[in-house]
Amino acid sequence: MLNLKRLQYLDAVYQYKNFTQASEALYVSQPAISSAVQALEEELGVKLVIRSSKGVTFTYEGEQFMIWVRRILSTCEAAENAMQDLAGTAEQRLRLGISHVLTNPVVPMIFSTFLADHPKAQIYLNEGSMNKHVEMVLGELLDLAYNAFPTTPETEELEKIPVSTMEIHAVLHPEHPLAQLERIPIALLGKEKLIMMDAQSKVNELMNQEFERHQVIPDILFKYDQVLCMANLVRSCRYVGIISVAAGQQALGCEGLAIRPFAEPLVFDVGFLIKKGRYLPRLGWELIRFIQEHTLKAPG
């Protein structure tokens, strides 16, 4: 059975490519580091490192072994963090990604009601679009994300926890001719100057599919990632904005504007995205339950 301490010593040598620096970083003697590496080489029956006047280089076998070492140490660290979290001794910290259009009323509820019940917790927010957050969750830069559900094959690595649905709408000046319609046919957008959500969003993905299906060549002025910017341009220039709205909720920043759904409803699921096989801190599960409960209580 491999000795975990020896693996930690070898990992330090790999990081610094120097036995002296590795020993200083770990606060152990250099002979202890050398002895650990030699013991691993004897146990495995392969040469792992080559020492020279220029420093330390890893053999091919050493490089291959380090792939396993990093996995082992990472798994051990994750297990330790998980147990600390369950024991209530870990720092209550959560990295949450959230869609621009889901911040209202979710974010105010998190930083008032939810954190009032978790005074020691820290939640770091990252606003962004679906594809951006998918990459960050899979890369473990976020613990979880509250966003639209992707459908691409690579996202099979994600666990999806549904919360609600959203529908895509057009945002119009109240005096715009299309504002007189209850529902807007996609074909009519071919004559308008459009402000779309950014290229990584679910809204952009679905709208492109609809444009192609209806053989519409959209005149897109630019793609936004801030709702207020889009809304101001709709007010001042009477362009047509595109946005997604949750059932029973208002589009923050679009007050006084006409929000109209399309003739064929464009609806998609939203919820939480978590990387499969990765431990989610207890704080994360409590936040999921909190948002699910408050979403169910929301009017409409």
Side-chain angles (χ1 to χ4, degrees), residues 65-86:
F65 184 57
M66 284 307 304
I67 296 174
W68 293 100
V69 171
R70 288 291 174 89
R71 290 177 183 174
I72 293 168
L73 295 179
S74 176
T75 300
C76 289
E77 182 181 5
E80 184 178 9
N81 291 340
M83 291 305 100
Q84 289 177 349
D85 178 60
L86 293 173

